[in-house]
Amino acid sequence: MLTQYLFYFLSFLAIFSALLVVFSKNPVQSVLSLIVTFFAIAGHYVLLNAQFLAAVHVIVYAGAIMVLFLFVIMLLNLNEDSEPQKPGWIKFAATITGGLLMVVMIAALRSAAEMPAPQKVDASIGMIKNLGHVLFTDFALPFEISSLLFLVAMVGAVMLGKKEIHNP
Amino acid sequence: MSAIQVVPISYYVWLSAILFSIGVMGVLFRRNVIIVFMCIELMLNAVNLLMVAFSSMLNDAAGQIFVFFIMAVAAAEVAVGLAILVMIFRNTKSVDIDFLNKLKR
């Protein structure tokens, strides 16, 4: 019973703060709302017995990505006054488009609702021992390729962020 | 006890669809490039949540490994994207996405 209440609470929190991300005028407030959304999703992971993934999610998103966003916003000195706004009819059209997409997706995924709940759940599946075993046996090649991706991203970010050298 | 035993999988499908649509709406709604990036992160997270729910339901760890790779790609994407954004801001002094249509001309 408690699990269900926690599910409803976390879902409400996630949707509410996701809406705040879109609608708040101040970019810093958007970032803080997105952090709340990420914590709510990490709570969902804990409820789904994916404890290691929840920890990684908090560390990577709240710890690394959102700090990067906050740094850039504060570096560029953005605030409510410098915030560009779209005209009203585009905002209206965007809301209608998002709502239509939601209706289409829910209608398309309706057959998933007929899947029965599992009788027996293996609680050890989200533990670091099991995940590490799967990662280094079945997914060893994608793991190595992702390290290459990080190298390329690191070099690219440094090259882009560097000030251009002006030749006289 | 796992939440998947007491909460129907369709609730997770609806929650993910709603979060994904909010992300799409945000991309269309805002003109600030940083907020558009954040909405893309929101869409990736909606997919991650659904993948973990199905991984827990089908007792298969592969879904959770995919989430790891999505997180890795998202981190790399944000690093490169924000570097490009800082470059553009240095040249144009603007974060307006409608200002960046020079490739069209």
Side-chain angles (χ1 to χ4, degrees):
Chain A
M1 219 46 212
L2 180 68
T3 315
Q4 274 168 309
Y5 288 137
L6 274 174
F7 173 83
Y8 290 127
F9 173 70
L10 288 172
S11 307
F12 176 77
L13 191 65
I15 293 172
F16 180 72
S17 48
L19 285 172
L20 265 187
V21 172
V22 177
F23 290 118
S24 68
K25 295 255 191 299
N26 195 339
V28 176
Q29 202 183 352
S30 292
V31 172
L32 296 178
S33 314
L34 195 57
I35 292 174
V36 174
T37 313
F38 286 157
F39 272 106
I41 290 176
H44 274 299
Y45 290 169
V46 172
L47 285 186
L48 286 166
N49 273 342
Q51 289 91 343
F52 180 62
L53 208 57
V56 170
H57 188 267
V58 169
I59 291 169
V60 170
Y61 276 105
I65 293 183
M66 298 327 287
V67 170
L68 207 60
F69 271 113
L70 267 182
F71 267 178
V72 169
I73 285 179
M74 288 175 179
L75 212 65
L76 303 187
N77 198 14
L78 299 179
N79 49 39
E80 216 167 306
D81 307 323
S82 63
E83 184 67 15
Q85 292 289 335
K86 282 206 166 166
W89 67 273
I90 290 191
K91 286 184 173 178
F92 181 73
T95 313
I96 297 291
T97 311
L100 279 179
L101 182 76
M102 188 180 77
V103 171
V104 167
M105 270 199 294
I106 286 177
L109 296 170
R110 210 168 45 120
S111 61
E114 282 133 36
M115 291 172 88
Q119 297 300 314
K120 192 168 67 65
V121 169
D122 186 6
S124 71
I125 203 160
M127 293 299 169
I128 185 165
K129 189 180 173 192
N130 183 38
L131 281 182
H133 184 259
V134 176
L135 185 62
F136 288 113
T137 52
D138 297 343
F139 293 91
L141 182 65
F143 180 74
E144 297 297 337
I145 293 174
S146 70
S147 73
L148 199 67
L149 173 80
F150 274 127
L151 182 68
V152 173
M154 189 180 75
V155 173
V158 170
M159 283 304 292
L160 283 169
K162 210 173 60 168
K163 266 227 156 60
E164 277 182 52
I165 303 158
H166 294 288
N167 290 322
Chain B
M1 190 173 80
S2 169
I4 202 74
Q5 285 171 301
V6 287
V7 179
I9 188 75
S10 53
Y11 288 12
Y12 280 102
V13 173
W14 294 339
L15 175 62
S16 297
I18 290 169
L19 283 178
F20 192 90
S21 315
I22 291 174
V24 171
M25 191 184 82
V27 169
L28 300 171
F29 196 90
R30 298 299 294 259
R31 281 171 78 178
N32 190 336
V33 187
I34 297 177
I35 313 281
V36 171
F37 261 124
M38 282 166 29
C39 291
I40 292 172
E41 294 300 312
L42 200 60
M43 286 193 260
L44 288 172
N45 269 281
V47 176
N48 280 356
L49 177 63
L50 196 60
M51 220 174 268
V52 172
F54 273 105
S55 155
S56 177
M57 182 183 166
L58 302 173
N59 277 328
D60 190 349
Q64 301 194 12
I65 302 289
F66 287 155
V67 173
F68 277 126
F69 289 127
I70 294 176
M71 277 183 194
V73 172
E77 173 235 323
V78 165
V80 175
L82 287 178
I84 293 175
L85 182 64
V86 170
M87 262 282 281
I88 289 172
F89 187 81
R90 209 181 275 157
N91 287 325
T92 65
K93 301 277 174 274
S94 161
V95 287
D96 191 343
I97 205 165
D98 290 347
F99 195 69
L100 305 174
N101 57 2
K102 292 206 171 64
L103 280 181
K104 218 164 67 176
R105 295 177 197 159

